[in-house]
Amino acid sequence: MDDFFFSLVLAGISVGAVYALVALGLNLTFWTTRALNFGQGSLMMLCAMLTVHLAAQGLALLLAVLGALFIIGGLGIFIERFAVRPALKGAGSMGWVVSTLGFGIFLQGVAAKWFGAQAVAFPDILFSAQDYVSVFGQYVSLQYLVVLLVAVALILLLELFVRKTVWGQAVHAVSLDPELAGVQGIPVRRIILGSFIASSLLAGVAGLLIAQIGGTVDPAFGFDLVLLGFVAAVFGGMGSSVGALVGGLVVGLTSKLVGGYISTAAEHAIAFALLMAMLALRPQGLFGRIEVSKA
Amino acid sequence: MLEVEGLSVSYGAVQALTDVSLSAAAGSTTAVLGANGAGKSSLLRAISGIAPIGAGCIRLDGQDVTRLSPQARARHGLAHAMEGRRLFRQMNVEENLRLAWSFGARSTPWAAALEDVYARFPILAQKSRIASGLLSGGQQQMVILSCTTIRSPRVLLLDEPSLGLAPLIVRQIYAFIAGFARDSGATVVIAEQMASIALQVADRGCALRRGRVALTGTATELLRGGLAATYL
């Protein structure tokens, strides 16, 4: 096999796995509130930045990661309370698009002010960029493998949770009819809050993984990622976990292959072309269900 | 025991209920009667915490629940079958029952509770894996009644349980309600446009007109007084 092709496929799969994680994070809040948190990108950036910062203060790397994730989870609560809940007051309101995006831009500004606008080096958490394993006679970076494994594992866990546990069913119930769920004693508010925390944590993990591969973080980091994660989510079918994984991989692979063989400038363009093609041919996405409502 | 005192509900500029008081003892069945838009649903929705309460208070077994969330009230033993045959339509019958059973205090273990439901409505056992939205209206109403009674509530609110159902099914549904009221010792409140059928199972009745209590009395008094002609 051609080395160049193989390395593009690998890079595509690993960035695709990160897109899948972002898409999964978007799905989580979509399940409970039909709202998406477009501030995800800034949460990814902030999580990586905070990890670097905390580690620079002399904290052990694992603790720095946990500390950063803790803060990101807290921001998830903040976003739900102040950017999404007020925007959902009016029925059918789409105000959350602007408020979550705005909060993301705000976080980006804060990070630039605090940590500086320069890119900082991201430490090796699990493996260094020099760790390789050999697959089919080709060298594969362990970092790439870890990203893929983490993404697949999280997606499997979420699917199990939603399908097999009564809490997963309750999440589904809240998405179908929050009023009925509340009347039945399901803690609607806590489930919505939980979905925002989990979604933010997923963004944080995705941020750490991609910073690990890229090796640096800067305040602008994450913005493209959330857009491409959104493309992946819509492509795979909004709300579907398998769709998030497949969508992420398709978007990652096509953009890397197009970037490698045609032009890196076309990387993002092809992703959005995919999105438009999907919206024209199959608006519900690959694995999405058409929303049917019968009175 | 359910007590409502001086309750007012308004949606923006629209006043749905004004100064409504109602007291229903444990083990009794109360019919809330009235024409379309009289405020029956608003009253039930205010009791279960999903309508905005402007003034007044609501007590369950002597405890003030006026400021509690719907889920907290459900945990206090309140169950509400909302108007419009609300259930999780994409979920199958058993999933609906399971969810209704899972959150809050319950006296029966899941297996026994499920067996109980299927013994009472054998048709639901056959349809247990079918999406509840695909069932007939009568079967959906059976699922809803089973969902609301599966945790043995102390107060049961039913909003138009007969709406849109064939007379034969209505009789079956009301037989179930009467049986539940008799055996459980719970407080049952039924909002119903068809006064005659509701008053057959009710001990007391309360007629609403334009959001106010127009008339209260025992079921026999109301039936004798020609309530239908005057108020409905």
Side-chain angles (χ1 to χ4, degrees):
Chain A
M1 206 185 324
D2 182 342
D3 272 8
F4 182 59
F5 175 75
F6 191 72
S7 67
L8 284 178
V9 167
L10 270 182
I13 288 178
S14 67
V15 296
V18 172
Y19 298 156
L21 282 179
V22 177
L24 209 58
L26 292 172
N27 275 349
L28 269 174
T29 61
F30 181 76
W31 286 344
T32 55
T33 57
R34 308 262 127 180
L36 306 176
N37 173 14
F38 285 115
Q40 288 259 23
S42 297
L43 292 178
M44 296 168 76
M45 174 276 295
L46 201 65
C47 191
M49 282 287 212
L50 281 170
T51 303
V52 173
H53 185 70
L54 290 174
Q57 308 295 309
L59 217 56
L61 197 52
L62 184 67
L63 284 180
V65 167
L66 289 178
L69 284 174
F70 185 79
I71 294 170
I72 295 301
L75 284 174
I77 299 178
F78 185 88
I79 289 173
E80 194 277 333
R81 182 68 191 81
F82 296 105
V84 177
R85 204 190 299 178
L88 287 175
K89 283 254 165 66
S93 157
M94 299 283 279
W96 48 265
V97 176
V98 177
S99 58
T100 57
L101 196 61
F103 184 71
I105 294 171
F106 169 74
L107 280 184
Q108 211 177 324
V110 170
K113 179 84 184 132
W114 242 352
F115 304 120
Q118 257 75 50
V120 290
F122 191 80
D124 295 323
I125 297 180
L126 284 173
F127 302 104
S128 84
Q130 278 75 49
D131 290 327
Y132 284 99
V133 287
S134 152
V135 177
F136 304 125
Q138 302 276 342
Y139 290 112
V140 178
S141 163
L142 270 176
Q143 289 181 344
Y144 282 5
L145 276 183
V146 167
V147 173
L148 183 63
L149 283 180
V150 168
V152 172
L154 283 175
I155 284 162
L156 284 178
L157 274 178
L158 265 181
E159 276 292 289
L160 271 180
F161 169 75
V162 170
R163 284 174 198 278
K164 297 291 174 201
T165 69
V166 74
W167 280 95
Q169 287 278 304
V171 170
H172 192 193
V174 168
S175 80
L176 291 174
D177 189 340
E179 196 172 80
L180 179 57
V183 163
Q184 291 195 347
I186 296 173
V188 178
R189 286 250 66 88
R190 259 192 289 159
I191 285 180
I192 290 177
L193 208 56
S195 75
F196 274 82
I197 296 173
S199 154
S200 304
L201 289 178
L202 270 179
V205 170
L208 292 176
L209 291 172
I210 198 107
Q212 177 80 109
I213 291 177
T216 62
V217 244
D218 62 89
F221 165 101
F223 221 75
D224 294 348
L225 293 173
V226 76
L227 282 182
L228 290 169
F230 175 67
V231 173
V234 175
F235 188 88
M238 204 71 231
S240 156
S241 303
V242 179
L245 182 62
V246 174
L249 292 179
V250 169
V251 171
L253 276 172
T254 6
S255 57
K256 284 296 165 201
L257 287 173
V258 166
Y261 285 108
I262 300 169
S263 156
T264 44
E267 264 188 27
H268 287 180
I270 190 69
F272 287 100
L274 276 178
L275 174 68
M276 283 186 266
M278 183 55 87
L279 286 178
L281 297 174
R282 199 177 148 84
Q284 75 271 30
L286 276 183
F287 296 89
R289 261 177 293 175
I290 305 176
E291 304 223 348
V292 216
S293 51
K294 183 181 141 200
Chain B
M1 174 81 183
L2 168 72
E3 291 157 291
V4 175
E5 239 178 66
L7 189 70
S8 295
V9 169
S10 55
Y11 307 99
V14 184
Q15 183 87 11
L17 289 181
T18 315
D19 195 24
V20 169
S21 297
L22 175 90
S23 175
S28 77
T29 301
T30 305
V32 176
L33 309 166
N36 239 339
K40 303 186 297 294
S41 293
S42 291
L43 175 58
L44 299 199
R45 291 170 65 82
I47 294 171
S48 65
I50 45 179
I53 296 174
C57 80
I58 294 158
R59 283 188 297 271
L60 290 182
D61 289 336
Q63 193 188 355
D64 190 336
V65 299
T66 317
R67 303 278 151 227
L68 294 185
S69 67
Q71 50 266 37
R73 296 183 203 201
R75 279 151 198 264
H76 270 95
L78 184 76
H80 183 183
M82 289 187 278
E83 70 177 326
R85 253 182 252 142
R86 293 269 279 273
L87 30 69
F88 300 115
R89 291 168 183 277
Q90 281 94 328
M91 295 191 191
N92 69 34
V93 172
E94 202 165 310
E95 286 166 342
N96 268 283
L97 292 167
R98 176 86 203 204
L99 270 177
W101 177 84
S102 292
F103 294 87
R106 63 240 170 181
S107 45
T108 341
W110 167 239
L114 190 64
E115 207 172 300
D116 219 36
V117 168
Y118 289 162
R120 198 159 343 237
F121 297 116
I123 184 77
L124 296 187
Q126 289 171 36
K127 309 254 174 184
S128 67
R129 305 279 166 210
I130 292 179
S132 59
L134 300 176
L135 301 181
S136 74
Q139 290 163 357
Q140 288 183 357
Q141 195 62 56
M142 291 173 196
V143 175
I144 291 168
L145 286 175
S146 304
C147 281
T148 46
T149 53
I150 200 165
R151 277 199 272 124
S152 324
R154 287 182 297 149
V155 175
L156 175 64
L157 311 175
L158 301 168
D159 200 339
E160 303 264 9
S162 73
L163 195 70
L165 299 181
L168 193 71
I169 307 288
V170 172
R171 224 172 298 151
Q172 197 184 350
I173 295 293
Y174 264 90
F176 172 83
I177 296 170
F180 175 80
R182 191 180 55 237
D183 303 337
S184 68
T187 310
V188 179
V189 178
I190 310 170
E192 187 63 84
Q193 242 179 64
M194 304 212 308
S196 54
I197 184 153
L199 288 173
Q200 277 171 23
V201 301
D203 306 301
R204 297 186 61 79
C206 154
L208 295 178
R209 193 161 58 157
R210 291 196 212 120
R212 291 174 188 274
V213 177
L215 192 67
T216 55
T218 65
T220 27
E221 280 167 8
L222 291 177
L223 278 172
R224 217 180 18 231
L227 164 111
T230 324
Y231 289 102
L232 304 177

